[in-house]
Amino acid sequence: MVSSTTSPPSDPGKMDHHHLHNIQPAPTISNDNHAPEKPSTTPIEREPKTTTTDNPSEKQQLQQPDTEQPPDHDASKTTWNASRTSIARFLLICYSFILMGMSDGAIGALIPYLETYYSISYTIISLVFLSPFVGYLLAALFNNLIHHHFGQRGVAILGPLCRLIGFIPMACHPPYPALPVVMLFTGFGNGIEDSAWNAWVGNMRKANELLGIIHGCYGLGATIGPLIATSMVTKGGLEWYTFYYVLVGVNGVELVAMTAAFWTATKEVYRAGVAESGSEDVADADEEGGGGNEGGNKRTTTRTVMRDPIPWIVAMFLLGYVGAEVSLGGWIVTFMLKVRHAEPFNAGLTVTFFWLGLTVGRVVLGFITGRIGEKLAISGYLLLCIALQLLYWLVPSFVASAIFVSFLGFFLGPLFPAAIVAATKLLPPGYHVSAIGFAAAFGGGGAAIFPFAVGAIAQKKGVAVLQPIVLAILVFILLMWWLLPGGLKPGGLERARENREKVGDEVRKGFKWLKGKAGKTQ
């Protein structure tokens, strides 16, 4: 392959290749393009021999980009606007995330009316949160298989189609036992789209910013969803199920548009991209002493990826994060009504403020997170979230609670996108679809488990149990985040992969440091 040694992405042959395979950005990058991502062997050893042997300052200039994010990781990645097709697909993904947010956010706003309509308890009504977990779990297991057999065209069709299978019966307000069953399809549709689109966008240039935008779209949907649902019920005098008329319509539009935009993203395109990147992933696995080298010509299976602990840590982080987010979004209205004694419309506005804060945080903080380093930024955001959660719990004022929960949403916002970026930086390119797909879909199960747990416990202890549960989840995901390799300085994740750092290395170093300090004081 004829290419320029200074700017691989600008080579016409490679640009055509990116346009052909832009739906699988990571697998379609050639081995030449991946050279900067490899550990500091080829680039550093080859360049100094010809240009920097006698000039230490030039050698330092050549070595320095290996520790900076853009030269190492962004230069060989595709952009969201690489072609008209890519632009259309990215914009439709934003639209898809808006619909996911509308679906998830409206459930919490409608819970009080579902409870009255069906005359059921908190525990039973919480099944509407638990049943999608099965769908998310199935999405985590089958995401890679769907890519391999149907390409991302299959995801683009199955995602909105499964949501329609869930929304149409909801619009017909069937007996309550049918609701958890049909919402399983909604969970599966959300799960495969969530994981597939995160994997695609997470491998693009400026991934923090782009992921912040698409997840900001989710927050936008989760902001307007409860507002529309609450207004339809409280101001329009309509029944709760009329909101699903709206969801059926907008998801029907998505099904048609997604099918057209992703029609050329076939299984052949996906398999060709995987075959091209397979040899490099095998080399990475051999260098690390891993077992991922069984057959470079075969697809990287989810089982192979799961031998690495990083996808599990990211998955547990996302499980807790999504659980905290949806627990808050799902039970804020009930908490404000029962504990803070708010008016129904004002209680609905509070959850709107939460999702609005989440939306703004994802977009605004996405431009900050990558510049100061994901490990440091998310650690700081989580510490602020813990403080705000304590204030939200302990200050018995409706106005104060509305303010605290809005800022809580703001600092929770960038957590999901940063976790996806961390996975792309710590794992080999061929692992991205499976690992990010598994982590995103498995993490989506937090939207079912924790809100259900809150409802089940609230049945006996009262809805105030929301606060200590969310606080415990925030502490848990902070610990999970610290287990990821890489220090708190910018570029720590990149250096962690180059230096083959292990999970928990930073925690062990911290304990040793504390032990040394304690020994000196004695």
Side-chain angles (χ1 to χ4, degrees):
M1 177 184 295
V2 180
S3 64
S4 170
T5 58
T6 58
S7 57
S10 64
D11 185 88
K14 291 181 183 176
M15 288 301 294
D16 290 341
H17 187 72
H18 275 300
H19 289 166
L20 177 62
H21 298 299
N22 62 357
I23 197 62
Q24 326 290 349
T28 58
I29 298 171
S30 67
N31 286 340
D32 291 337
N33 285 350
H34 271 304
E37 277 199 14
K38 301 281 284 182
S40 55
T41 53
T42 306
I44 295 178
E45 290 177 1
R46 183 172 61 236
E47 303 263 356
K49 288 180 182 179
T50 57
T51 60
T52 63
T53 304
D54 300 324
N55 195 331
S57 63
E58 292 183 15
K59 182 177 181 181
Q60 183 178 5
Q61 290 177 354
L62 284 175
Q63 290 178 338
Q64 186 173 355
D66 288 333
T67 62
E68 295 178 358
Q69 299 177 30
D72 285 348
H73 295 269
D74 275 1
S76 59
K77 293 181 178 180
T78 189
T79 59
W80 72 276
N81 58 352
S83 68
R84 291 182 178 179
T85 301
S86 294
I87 294 173
R89 289 171 177 173
F90 181 80
L91 293 177
L92 282 172
I93 286 172
C94 291
Y95 178 70
S96 175
F97 271 76
I98 290 174
L99 302 189
M100 291 185 209
M102 290 179 66
S103 171
D104 290 344
I107 293 177
L110 293 174
I111 275 184
Y113 311 106
L114 284 166
E115 181 185 358
T116 303
Y117 186 85
Y118 287 107
S119 300
I120 49 180
S121 64
Y122 285 149
T123 303
I124 302 300
I125 198 65
S126 295
L127 289 173
V128 299
F129 292 115
L130 185 60
S131 65
F133 173 68
V134 180
Y136 269 99
L137 183 60
L138 290 173
L141 296 175
F142 287 101
N143 173 64
N144 189 53
L145 198 64
I146 292 171
H147 276 78
H148 189 70
H149 288 287
F150 303 102
Q152 288 198 325
R153 177 169 68 184
V155 176
I157 296 173
L158 282 175
L161 182 62
C162 287
R163 282 207 294 270
L164 282 174
I165 293 174
F167 292 153
I168 290 174
M170 293 284 284
C172 298
H173 52 97
Y176 180 78
L179 265 59
V181 176
V182 298
M183 293 193 73
L184 183 149
F185 291 94
T186 303
F188 184 80
N190 284 347
I192 60 172
E193 282 203 295
D194 194 15
S195 57
W197 307 149
N198 272 296
W200 183 48
V201 178
N203 279 289
M204 289 183 172
R205 296 183 197 174
K206 300 185 181 299
N208 270 299
E209 290 88 337
L210 294 176
L211 285 169
I213 290 172
I214 67 169
H215 285 278
C217 289
Y218 176 91
L220 175 62
T223 301
I224 63 177
L227 186 60
I228 294 172
T230 302
S231 298
M232 291 175 71
V233 176
T234 61
K235 300 298 183 182
L238 302 174
E239 292 288 353
W240 63 269
Y241 52 80
T242 54
F243 174 72
Y244 287 91
Y245 298 163
V246 177
L247 290 184
V248 169
V250 293
N251 274 273
V253 172
E254 184 202 3
L255 176 60
V256 175
M258 280 284 195
T259 301
F262 285 91
W263 189 255
T264 58
T266 61
K267 64 180 181 181
E268 289 79 15
V269 173
Y270 176 76
R271 291 180 181 183
V274 170
E276 184 171 340
S277 66
S279 59
E280 182 178 350
D281 298 331
V282 170
D284 286 345
D286 288 340
E287 290 175 7
E288 296 174 8
N293 60 345
E294 11 175 295
N297 295 326
K298 298 181 180 180
R299 68 183 178 93
T300 303
T301 63
T302 302
R303 181 179 300 178
T304 300
V305 173
M306 290 304 98
R307 295 171 184 169
D308 194 307
I310 289 175
W312 285 102
I313 292 178
V314 175
M316 295 302 293
F317 176 88
L318 293 180
L319 182 77
Y321 162 74
V322 176
E325 171 193 285
V326 180
S327 293
L328 283 166
W331 289 99
I332 282 175
V333 174
T334 306
F335 177 83
M336 289 298 190
L337 289 172
K338 304 291 185 181
V339 180
R340 296 292 188 253
H341 308 294
E343 295 295 327
F345 185 74
N346 291 337
L349 283 179
T350 305
V351 73
T352 300
F353 293 153
F354 170 75
W355 290 114
L356 181 61
L358 194 88
T359 303
V360 176
R362 281 177 172 169
V363 176
V364 173
L365 295 180
F367 290 88
I368 300 174
T369 302
R371 286 167 172 75
I372 65 177
E374 289 80 11
K375 284 294 292 291
L376 177 61
I378 299 305
S379 297
Y381 300 156
L382 276 170
L383 290 173
L384 288 170
C385 286
I386 290 171
L388 288 165
Q389 176 61 28
L390 279 169
L391 291 170
Y392 177 41
W393 178 14
L394 300 176
V395 178
S397 165
F398 170 77
V399 175
S401 296
I403 294 172
F404 294 143
V405 82
S406 300
F407 280 101
L408 182 56
F410 180 80
F411 289 108
L412 279 173
L415 266 60
F416 197 114
I420 300 300
V421 172
T424 62
K425 291 183 177 181
L426 292 171
L427 293 169
Y431 280 31
H432 290 175
V433 168
S434 294
I436 296 174
F438 173 81
F442 184 83
I449 294 176
F450 292 106
F452 173 78
V454 170
I457 299 172
Q459 182 62 35
K460 292 187 176 180
K461 303 293 184 180
V463 75
V465 299
L466 169 70
Q467 309 303 344
I469 291 176
V470 171
L471 182 63
I473 295 173
L474 293 175
V475 173
F476 168 76
I477 62 176
L478 178 61
L479 296 177
M480 288 293 102
W481 186 250
W482 284 344
L483 283 177
L484 287 175
L488 296 179
K489 295 181 180 179
L493 294 173
E494 292 84 348
R495 288 191 296 271
R497 184 180 170 195
E498 293 169 0
N499 299 333
R500 302 291 191 265
E501 294 182 20
K502 303 298 182 183
V503 166
D505 276 355
E506 295 300 319
V507 176
R508 285 189 287 271
K509 290 177 184 178
F511 276 122
K512 287 182 180 179
W513 182 82
L514 289 174
K515 188 176 181 181
K517 289 291 184 180
K520 289 180 181 179
T521 57
Q522 293 177 356

